Structures are given as structure tokens and as C-alpha cells.
Amino acid sequence: MSRTLIIFGLVLVAAGLLWPVLGKFGIGRLPGDIYVERQNFAFYLPLTTSLIISVVLSVVLWLANR
């Protein structure tokens, strides 16, 4: 369990560090991502981006467990 949490933490750190680089490729601004902007309020829900990241991580973890 501790190994899984450490790997999960490292993946989150790597994603945080790579997020500006991935933004240049369009990750985070895909069709299906919800963005609402009002006068004093902004709401962003990266729905499509989250789904793609989830699928990629699922495949990577599945391959790692084989």
C-alpha cells in the first residue's frame, strides 16, 4: 500500500511539473472541457482532459502490473 501511495504522489508531482509543457500541446483546453466566466467568477472543469489522463494512467498501470 505504501509503495502505491508513493508512486501516486510521484505521478502527481510529475504532472504538476509538466502541466505548463502539456498546455502548449492543447492538454487542458480540449473540446468537452467546461469553462464558464462571469464578471467576478471563473469556473473550469477539465472533463475531457481528466478522462484522457485517466485512460492513459490506467493503461500504464495495467502494463506495469503485467
Side-chain angles (χ1 to χ4, degrees):
M1 182 68 172
S2 63
R3 179 178 167 203
T4 304
L5 289 174
I6 291 171
I7 291 172
F8 183 69
L10 291 174
V11 167
L12 285 176
V13 168
L17 292 173
L18 292 175
W19 194 256
V21 175
L22 295 174
K24 293 180 182 179
F25 294 112
I27 301 293
R29 299 181 191 264
L30 296 172
D33 290 346
I34 299 170
Y35 182 70
V36 178
E37 187 174 359
R38 306 281 183 196
Q39 186 176 6
N40 293 326
F41 175 75
F43 176 75
Y44 178 67
L45 178 66
L47 189 61
T48 305
T49 301
S50 298
L51 289 173
I52 290 174
I53 291 171
S54 175
V55 168
V56 168
L57 285 176
S58 295
V59 169
V60 168
L61 291 174
W62 178 75
L63 288 173
N65 284 331
R66 288 188 93 214

